[in-house]
Amino acid sequence: MAPSLCRTLVFGLCAIHTAFAQSYTEKYRPQYHFTPKDNWMNDPNGLIYYNGVYHMFYQYNPGGNTWGAMSWGHATSRDMTHWKHQPVALQARGFPNNITEMFFSGTVVADEKNTSGFGSRKKAPLVAMYTSYYPMAQNLPSGKSVQKDQQAQSIAYSLDEGMTWTTYDAANPVILDPPSQYADQVKEFRDPSVFWHDATNKWVAVISLAKLHKLLVYTSSDLKTWKHESEFGPVNAVDGVWECPSFFPLAVDGNKRNVKWVAQIGLNPGGPPGTIGSGTQYVVGSFDGKKFTADANNVYPAPTTPKDSVIFQDFEKAGTFTDLGWNATGDFVGAGPANGPINGQQTVTGFSGERFVNTFLNGDATTGVLTSPSFKVTQKYINFLIGGGYNPGKTCVNLKVDGKVVRTATGTNNEKLSWTGWDVSAFQGLNAVIEIVDSLTGGWGHVNVDEISFSNTLAETQKANWMDYGPDFYAALSFNGLPSEDRIDIAWMNNWQYGQAIPTSPWRSAMSVPRTLSLKTINRKTTLVQEPIDNLKSLEKSRKYSRSWNSVQQGDQELDLSGKAMDITLTFSDRSPASGKSPQFGLVLRASADSKQQTRVGYDFTTKQLFVDRSASGEVGFDSTFPAVFYAPLSPGNDGTVTIRILVDWSSVEVFGGKGETSLTAQIFPSDDAVRARIFSTDGNTRNVKISASQIGSAWN
């Protein structure tokens, strides 16, 4: 390789840190989650453990605290708890005024056999593979040409264990275009994940065709020349785009003779049900070095109307809502179901038949309430199709029993109608009505509804295996360089829906806690389990809190427990809901003295779900979708015990349920004085309650 065609990056002027002391005590600054010292951060990149050091590279803007000038930031650690900021590893070419190439997401491997030829027998190179994004058409030093906004795959190498990097300009990009049949996707071809496959003695790269929901598999002997082998997808959740994919093996139940592979896939938007924006799904299957094959029970059909459904209202009859037996107020007086799929410039999809409720009558200025005829709840579920705006309480469908809203649902800022359903078993035998509410006059201020039915089967949105059911877990990546049994993931703890507006300064975004991954058989299915690595003990403060109750009475109780950063484990017995009741149990955390600020973490005994309610968690007004309640499925253990572990930091909660088969991650932005904690039990008492907690200190000190 001619030296004139290589570019050795110069770092002295690009250091993340400066000479003055940094306290890391700014408002909302996480104390044990990684954050950059300043500026914008998103996806973790190039996670690798090498020679006793954990390296975290990440998408970074060296010029500001919103997305832009994508470069690779860098930090190192000996324990994944205490991180040291390093100089920028790969800085956008031409930064700041004439950027010709940005460095998008990718991975780093240790080329121990020096297959690339970048190192020697005595010094193994680290090799990074990343997506080059070209904001302008240009001819490259390699002689290759790229078009405006092209995404292609390039490599760089380091001969000093990741501290400085040289881009392989003699041949970059090493994968210039996607396969010819996907030539039109050249601007949506990104995020390579590279690993060594022992059985075939080859390097493997997994790359996303983002808009087509396909993962392309490539192989190489030297990290320079790549062959396209196969593709995987689309399957399961396919709203938005697929990004940041990876494949990795895990033993099932610790049995090394039974190894399965996991495909980990970022999705934006179209995250878990009840969230808006980003999410991460996984698929369990097999991989032979060239092709990933999903297990049959990991591919789910598109949702349909349950076979045992009894239609309550399908809105197919011509006439007004009053003609259909519904009470109409506001702009809905004299109006009827829509007979056409157009909302302004957007097409509504997913409705059943020819007509449906569309409150976009006079644009988003339309307001009013539609109330159904009264009915007796006779079956376990009420199912319906819903779309439109995500505005809890303002554009929504409600179930009311005795005049009280007991269930509610809203759209996802999407004109597509999707299935949702309520577990109403606690209200069987009671009279109820359904409300369709539109009280918003702008900003996705409408709701679309169709085919309301009663069933003993729950109709769901497109089913997927979700890594995390919260809104703030995206672009997850695991460390190369660790044994398979020590597979450790880190994710971007933010969401593209509002990530650039969160109220932090001078930095934006944090990473999740590192999580150990394993596969366990739960309810006869191979399930991905996540557990926080045991890295917080060194940060625990001396005073620990522990208490138990034979029974916690209905209501709230103040706890002699407070703090902005805590590690809490809560266990309690499952209980059966009484008729007409919907009992819950859990903790109120980061609460102010007047309770106007609080985050509720708990368990719903009727639906068997964990939940995090951040609707009053502090500063929530920067995005209309931020104040919300998020749910995650969790069955009690075989002994009827529910176990919840909660990691609280200055601006986040991460909740792990059961053995770790369920997790839910959410950012919060409470006031500094919102430190109180309470325990609550609704609609009855909760038995056999135990709580243990530790306050967590700063990893920066």
Side-chain angles (χ1 to χ4, degrees):
M1 178 176 63
S4 62
L5 293 180
C6 296
R7 172 175 172 257
T8 301
L9 300 179
V10 179
F11 307 101
L13 298 179
C14 304
I16 296 176
H17 61 279
T18 54
F20 60 83
Q22 171 68 39
S23 67
Y24 293 93
T25 57
E26 302 98 332
K27 188 177 183 180
Y28 306 137
R29 172 75 79 171
Q31 295 301 285
Y32 60 90
H33 291 78
F34 176 79
T35 51
K37 174 188 161 295
D38 52 19
N39 294 344
W40 169 264
M41 175 184 75
N42 54 285
D43 308 351
N45 296 156
L47 301 183
I48 187 168
Y49 177 73
Y50 188 72
N51 199 19
V53 176
Y54 296 93
H55 294 262
M56 183 194 299
F57 301 91
Y58 51 89
Q59 292 286 276
Y60 182 69
N61 179 3
N65 65 356
T66 56
W67 187 94
M70 280 294 96
S71 305
W72 275 30
H74 184 202
T76 55
S77 175
R78 293 280 181 178
D79 60 3
M80 286 185 286
T81 302
H82 302 83
W83 291 94
K84 180 180 180 182
H85 294 299
Q86 302 293 349
V88 172
L90 296 166
Q91 182 164 278
R93 291 185 197 253
F95 174 81
N97 297 318
N98 186 34
I99 294 176
T100 59
E101 179 186 5
M102 295 187 198
F103 296 85
F104 280 10
S105 293
T107 48
V108 171
V109 294
D111 185 12
E112 299 285 6
K113 299 179 181 180
N114 193 32
T115 62
S116 63
F118 291 138
S120 65
R121 278 183 285 179
K122 294 184 178 180
K123 183 178 288 295
L126 298 185
V127 179
M129 190 174 192
Y130 53 89
T131 296
S132 292
Y133 165 70
Y134 302 98
M136 61 187 70
Q138 56 192 287
N139 296 316
L140 303 174
S142 62
K144 299 175 181 179
S145 298
V146 292
Q147 60 182 276
K148 183 179 184 299
D149 295 328
Q150 181 162 346
Q151 297 176 2
Q153 320 316 315
S154 298
I155 59 175
Y157 63 91
S158 172
L159 300 179
D160 57 3
E161 301 188 3
M163 302 312 293
T164 60
W165 292 82
T166 299
T167 53
Y168 184 43
D169 288 1
N172 274 341
V174 294
I175 305 178
L176 177 63
D177 300 308
S180 58
Q181 64 268 37
Y182 302 122
D184 61 340
Q185 299 298 309
V186 70
K187 299 179 181 181
E188 302 288 344
F189 177 46
R190 57 181 174 268
D191 306 340
S193 174
V194 180
F195 60 93
W196 178 258
H197 190 255
D198 284 323
T200 56
N201 205 35
K202 295 275 190 179
W203 295 104
V204 176
V206 184
I207 307 171
S208 180
L209 283 178
K211 286 192 172 180
L212 299 185
H213 311 111
K214 290 180 180 287
L215 306 183
L216 304 184
V217 177
Y218 290 78
T219 61
S220 175
S221 297
D222 61 4
L223 293 165
K224 299 175 180 177
T225 303
W226 293 88
K227 179 185 178 183
H228 175 229
E229 299 285 4
S230 67
E231 61 186 52
F232 173 71
V235 297
N236 302 343
V238 292
D239 286 337
V241 296
W242 278 13
E243 297 183 315
C244 304
S246 58
F247 293 170
F248 50 84
L250 288 172
V252 180
D253 298 321
N255 182 0
K256 294 182 179 180
R257 295 183 180 181
N258 183 16
V259 173
K260 290 186 177 290
W261 283 74
V262 176
Q264 182 172 246
I265 308 163
L267 186 73
N268 178 64
T275 67
I276 298 293
S278 315
T280 303
Q281 66 174 323
Y282 73 92
V283 181
V284 177
S286 59
F287 181 66
D288 63 5
K290 294 183 178 181
K291 183 178 180 180
F292 182 90
T293 303
D295 285 355
N297 64 355
N298 268 248
V299 176
Y300 308 110
T304 59
T305 307
K307 292 181 180 179
D308 63 347
S309 294
V310 176
I311 300 297
F312 175 65
Q313 183 59 257
D314 60 8
F315 302 103
E316 288 302 301
K317 182 180 177 180
T320 67
F321 291 117
T322 302
D323 294 333
L324 297 177
W326 290 60
N327 181 62
T329 68
D331 296 323
F332 302 135
V333 174
N339 187 11
I342 303 299
N343 264 2
Q345 301 299 313
Q346 301 191 68
T347 300
V348 178
T349 62
F351 57 91
S352 176
E354 297 181 354
R355 294 181 175 87
F356 64 103
V357 175
N358 181 349
T359 71
F360 197 80
L361 298 178
N362 300 308
D364 278 336
T366 304
T367 61
V369 177
L370 296 170
T371 304
S372 77
S374 177
F375 60 91
K376 181 177 288 187
V377 179
T378 58
Q379 291 174 281
K380 189 174 181 180
Y381 300 103
I382 296 177
N383 301 313
F384 49 92
L385 289 161
I386 186 171
Y390 181 85
N391 305 289
K394 297 179 180 179
T395 57
C396 59
V397 178
N398 295 328
L399 177 69
K400 296 183 79 172
V401 176
D402 292 332
K404 178 183 177 182
V405 175
V406 295
R407 296 287 185 268
T408 188
T410 189
T412 60
N413 287 356
N414 193 318
E415 297 294 3
K416 178 182 177 181
L417 278 77
S418 299
W419 281 108
T420 192
W422 295 317
D423 184 331
V424 294
S425 55
F427 309 107
Q428 285 181 316
L430 302 181
N431 292 323
V433 296
I434 291 172
E435 283 185 338
I436 299 174
V437 178
D438 183 347
S439 62
L440 199 65
T441 58
W444 280 99
H446 62 274
V447 62
N448 308 318
V449 183
D450 199 10
E451 197 165 321
I452 302 171
S453 63
F454 306 149
S455 173
N456 286 315
T457 304
L458 179 65
E460 299 178 286
T461 55
Q462 176 64 60
K463 189 174 181 181
N465 302 319
W466 294 104
M467 293 280 295
D468 191 286
Y469 284 83
D472 294 311
F473 187 89
Y474 191 61
L477 186 67
S478 59
F479 280 89
N480 280 323
L482 291 173
S484 181
E485 60 269 23
D486 294 328
R487 179 68 55 179
I488 296 174
D489 240 23
I490 291 178
W492 182 49
M493 198 166 62
N494 207 344
N495 189 313
W496 283 114
Q497 170 67 25
Y498 46 71
Q500 299 189 88
I502 61 172
T504 61
S505 180
W507 84 101
R508 273 209 178 97
S509 296
M511 297 299 184
S512 71
V513 292
R515 305 178 180 190
T516 300
L517 306 183
S518 60
L519 288 175
K520 293 184 180 179
T521 303
I522 298 176
N523 297 327
R524 293 182 293 181
K525 183 177 180 181
T526 302
T527 304
L528 188 68
V529 168
Q530 302 175 79
E531 300 174 276
I533 65 168
D534 190 18
N535 68 333
L536 297 181
K537 291 189 182 300
S538 64
L539 302 178
E540 289 181 353
K541 296 185 177 180
S542 56
R543 180 180 181 269
K544 295 186 178 182
Y545 180 86
S546 179
R547 189 173 174 185
S548 61
W549 298 260
N550 290 328
S551 179
V552 172
Q553 294 183 343
Q554 178 174 316
D556 287 19
Q557 298 181 38
E558 194 83 17
L559 297 177
D560 185 23
L561 171 67
S562 64
K564 295 166 64 178
M566 294 181 287
D567 183 353
I568 304 168
T569 298
L570 180 68
T571 64
F572 49 93
S573 293
D574 190 21
R575 56 184 167 116
S576 299
S579 178
K581 303 294 184 181
S582 187
Q584 297 179 342
F585 178 76
L587 296 175
V588 175
L589 301 168
R590 297 302 310 269
S592 57
D594 60 6
S595 294
K596 290 184 178 180
Q597 291 189 27
Q598 58 176 271
T599 298
R600 298 174 71 87
V601 179
Y603 187 73
D604 189 304
F605 293 101
T606 303
T607 61
K608 307 302 181 191
Q609 289 180 312
L610 282 176
F611 65 86
V612 171
D613 181 351
R614 69 176 183 192
S615 55
S617 58
E619 194 166 348
V620 298
F622 53 87
D623 184 272
S624 63
T625 69
F626 189 85
V629 187
F630 307 100
Y631 296 90
L634 179 65
S635 298
N638 293 333
D639 62 353
T641 297
V642 179
T643 301
I644 304 173
R645 185 177 178 187
I646 309 165
L647 301 183
V648 186
D649 207 340
W650 284 16
S651 55
S652 65
V653 290
E654 289 175 273
V655 184
F656 299 85
K659 299 175 182 178
E661 66 268 28
T662 293
S663 65
L664 200 164
T665 300
Q667 295 181 92
I668 56 173
F669 299 102
S671 299
D672 284 340
D673 59 357
V675 296
R676 299 187 178 207
R678 300 195 307 273
I679 198 165
F680 67 86
S681 184
T682 66
D683 283 343
N685 301 343
T686 304
R687 297 179 296 106
N688 302 320
V689 176
K690 295 181 181 179
I691 181 172
S692 61
S694 299
Q695 291 185 333
I696 304 299
S698 175
W700 298 110
N701 298 326

